[in-house]
PDB file of all heavy atoms in Angstrom:
ATOM      1  N   ASP P 321     -24.537 -19.148   5.148  1.00  0.00           N
ATOM      2  CA  ASP P 321     -23.664 -17.947   5.014  1.00  0.00           C
ATOM      3  C   ASP P 321     -23.592 -17.195   6.369  1.00  0.00           C
ATOM      4  O   ASP P 321     -24.664 -17.083   7.022  1.00  0.00           O
ATOM      5  CB  ASP P 321     -24.142 -17.090   3.917  1.00  0.00           C
ATOM      6  CG  ASP P 321     -23.845 -17.629   2.539  1.00  0.00           C
ATOM      7  OD1 ASP P 321     -23.207 -18.831   2.522  1.00  0.00           O
ATOM      8  OD2 ASP P 321     -24.220 -17.097   1.479  1.00  0.00           O
ATOM      9  N   VAL P 322     -22.540 -16.456   6.602  1.00  0.00           N
ATOM     10  CA  VAL P 322     -22.419 -15.825   7.888  1.00  0.00           C
ATOM     11  C   VAL P 322     -22.266 -14.306   7.538  1.00  0.00           C
ATOM     12  O   VAL P 322     -21.633 -13.874   6.604  1.00  0.00           O
ATOM     13  CB  VAL P 322     -21.039 -16.244   8.557  1.00  0.00           C
ATOM     14  CG1 VAL P 322     -20.747 -15.409   9.617  1.00  0.00           C
ATOM     15  CG2 VAL P 322     -21.142 -17.725   8.935  1.00  0.00           C
ATOM     16  N   GLN P 323     -22.950 -13.571   8.422  1.00  0.00           N
ATOM     17  CA  GLN P 323     -22.828 -12.142   8.342  1.00  0.00           C
ATOM     18  C   GLN P 323     -22.284 -11.515   9.612  1.00  0.00           C
ATOM     19  O   GLN P 323     -22.807 -11.829  10.760  1.00  0.00           O
ATOM     20  CB  GLN P 323     -24.191 -11.479   7.961  1.00  0.00           C
ATOM     21  CG  GLN P 323     -23.971 -10.035   7.651  1.00  0.00           C
ATOM     22  CD  GLN P 323     -25.092  -9.444   6.862  1.00  0.00           C
ATOM     23  OE1 GLN P 323     -26.088  -9.105   7.427  1.00  0.00           O
ATOM     24  NE2 GLN P 323     -24.937  -9.356   5.590  1.00  0.00           N
ATOM     25  N   LEU P 324     -21.091 -10.931   9.595  1.00  0.00           N
ATOM     26  CA  LEU P 324     -20.510 -10.423  10.770  1.00  0.00           C
ATOM     27  C   LEU P 324     -20.834  -9.032  10.904  1.00  0.00           C
ATOM     28  O   LEU P 324     -21.002  -8.221   9.937  1.00  0.00           O
ATOM     29  CB  LEU P 324     -18.952 -10.558  10.583  1.00  0.00           C
ATOM     30  CG  LEU P 324     -18.444 -11.771  11.368  1.00  0.00           C
ATOM     31  CD1 LEU P 324     -19.350 -13.018  11.311  1.00  0.00           C
ATOM     32  CD2 LEU P 324     -17.086 -12.042  10.824  1.00  0.00           C
ATOM     33  N   GLY P 325     -20.821  -8.482  12.126  1.00  0.00           N
ATOM     34  CA  GLY P 325     -21.306  -7.057  12.396  1.00  0.00           C
ATOM     35  C   GLY P 325     -20.169  -6.116  12.092  1.00  0.00           C
ATOM     36  O   GLY P 325     -18.903  -6.393  12.085  1.00  0.00           O
ATOM     37  N   HIS P 326     -20.487  -4.846  11.945  1.00  0.00           N
ATOM     38  CA  HIS P 326     -19.611  -3.815  11.713  1.00  0.00           C
ATOM     39  C   HIS P 326     -19.732  -2.764  12.836  1.00  0.00           C
ATOM     40  O   HIS P 326     -20.559  -3.143  13.857  1.00  0.00           O
ATOM     41  CB  HIS P 326     -19.867  -3.057  10.405  1.00  0.00           C
ATOM     42  CG  HIS P 326     -21.270  -2.496  10.428  1.00  0.00           C
ATOM     43  ND1 HIS P 326     -22.406  -3.174   9.824  1.00  0.00           N
ATOM     44  CD2 HIS P 326     -21.844  -1.392  10.713  1.00  0.00           C
ATOM     45  CE1 HIS P 326     -23.369  -2.567   9.900  1.00  0.00           C
ATOM     46  NE2 HIS P 326     -23.150  -1.418  10.488  1.00  0.00           N
ATOM     47  N   GLU P 327     -19.003  -1.749  12.811  1.00  0.00           N
ATOM     48  CA  GLU P 327     -19.071  -0.777  14.005  1.00  0.00           C
ATOM     49  C   GLU P 327     -18.579   0.497  13.471  1.00  0.00           C
ATOM     50  O   GLU P 327     -17.537   0.619  12.804  1.00  0.00           O
ATOM     51  CB  GLU P 327     -18.070  -1.415  15.046  1.00  0.00           C
ATOM     52  CG  GLU P 327     -18.173  -0.701  16.401  1.00  0.00           C
ATOM     53  CD  GLU P 327     -17.209  -1.295  17.399  1.00  0.00           C
ATOM     54  OE1 GLU P 327     -16.420  -2.232  17.005  1.00  0.00           O
ATOM     55  OE2 GLU P 327     -16.995  -0.692  18.487  1.00  0.00           O
ATOM     56  N   LEU P 328     -19.335   1.548  13.835  1.00  0.00           N
ATOM     57  CA  LEU P 328     -18.919   2.859  13.558  1.00  0.00           C
ATOM     58  C   LEU P 328     -18.031   3.429  14.555  1.00  0.00           C
ATOM     59  O   LEU P 328     -18.463   3.568  15.787  1.00  0.00           O
ATOM     60  CB  LEU P 328     -20.122   3.806  13.403  1.00  0.00           C
ATOM     61  CG  LEU P 328     -19.883   5.345  13.102  1.00  0.00           C
ATOM     62  CD1 LEU P 328     -19.286   5.497  11.801  1.00  0.00           C
ATOM     63  CD2 LEU P 328     -21.089   6.176  13.276  1.00  0.00           C
ATOM     64  N   LEU P 329     -16.800   3.805  14.197  1.00  0.00           N
ATOM     65  CA  LEU P 329     -15.918   4.291  15.208  1.00  0.00           C
ATOM     66  C   LEU P 329     -15.817   5.859  15.037  1.00  0.00           C
ATOM     67  O   LEU P 329     -15.270   6.281  14.051  1.00  0.00           O
ATOM     68  CB  LEU P 329     -14.506   3.659  15.032  1.00  0.00           C
ATOM     69  CG  LEU P 329     -14.424   2.190  15.208  1.00  0.00           C
ATOM     70  CD1 LEU P 329     -13.044   1.615  14.888  1.00  0.00           C
ATOM     71  CD2 LEU P 329     -14.880   1.729  16.540  1.00  0.00           C
ATOM     72  N   ILE P 330     -16.369   6.583  16.040  1.00  0.00           N
ATOM     73  CA  ILE P 330     -16.286   8.027  15.871  1.00  0.00           C
ATOM     74  C   ILE P 330     -15.096   8.581  16.505  1.00  0.00           C
ATOM     75  O   ILE P 330     -14.723   8.488  17.836  1.00  0.00           O
ATOM     76  CB  ILE P 330     -17.525   8.623  16.571  1.00  0.00           C
ATOM     77  CG1 ILE P 330     -18.708   8.129  15.911  1.00  0.00           C
ATOM     78  CG2 ILE P 330     -17.471  10.212  16.465  1.00  0.00           C
ATOM     79  CD1 ILE P 330     -20.048   8.481  16.549  1.00  0.00           C
ATOM     80  N   ARG P 331     -14.241   9.093  15.629  1.00  0.00           N
ATOM     81  CA  ARG P 331     -12.885   9.677  16.097  1.00  0.00           C
ATOM     82  C   ARG P 331     -12.884  11.125  15.890  1.00  0.00           C
ATOM     83  O   ARG P 331     -13.941  11.794  16.120  1.00  0.00           O
ATOM     84  CB  ARG P 331     -11.694   8.914  15.526  1.00  0.00           C
ATOM     85  CG  ARG P 331     -11.632   7.476  16.138  1.00  0.00           C
ATOM     86  CD  ARG P 331     -10.271   6.828  16.028  1.00  0.00           C
ATOM     87  NE  ARG P 331     -10.204   6.159  14.780  1.00  0.00           N
ATOM     88  CZ  ARG P 331     -10.009   4.782  14.580  1.00  0.00           C
ATOM     89  NH1 ARG P 331      -9.965   4.057  15.638  1.00  0.00           N
ATOM     90  NH2 ARG P 331      -9.871   4.289  13.389  1.00  0.00           N
ATOM     91  N   ARG P 332     -11.842  11.714  15.460  1.00  0.00           N
ATOM     92  CA  ARG P 332     -11.829  13.232  15.392  1.00  0.00           C
ATOM     93  C   ARG P 332     -11.904  13.868  14.080  1.00  0.00           C
ATOM     94  O   ARG P 332     -11.717  15.024  13.995  1.00  0.00           O
ATOM     95  CB  ARG P 332     -10.450  13.650  16.207  1.00  0.00           C
ATOM     96  CG  ARG P 332     -10.420  12.935  17.523  1.00  0.00           C
ATOM     97  CD  ARG P 332      -9.100  13.173  18.301  1.00  0.00           C
ATOM     98  NE  ARG P 332      -8.896  14.571  18.499  1.00  0.00           N
ATOM     99  CZ  ARG P 332      -8.043  15.014  19.436  1.00  0.00           C
ATOM    100  NH1 ARG P 332      -7.307  14.158  20.150  1.00  0.00           N
ATOM    101  NH2 ARG P 332      -7.912  16.335  19.641  1.00  0.00           N
ATOM    102  N   SER P 333     -12.167  13.090  13.049  1.00  0.00           N
ATOM    103  CA  SER P 333     -12.244  13.726  11.762  1.00  0.00           C
ATOM    104  C   SER P 333     -13.582  14.294  11.334  1.00  0.00           C
ATOM    105  O   SER P 333     -13.776  14.618  10.293  1.00  0.00           O
ATOM    106  CB  SER P 333     -11.739  12.736  10.749  1.00  0.00           C
ATOM    107  OG  SER P 333     -12.661  11.579  10.520  1.00  0.00           O
TER     108      SER P 333
END
Side-chain angles (χ1 to χ4, degrees):
Chain P
D321 286 356
V322 170
Q323 189 159 81
L324 261 36
H326 56 270
E327 191 182 354
L328 175 67
L329 299 175
I330 300 176
R331 290 203 272 245
R332 308 173 63 160
S333 66

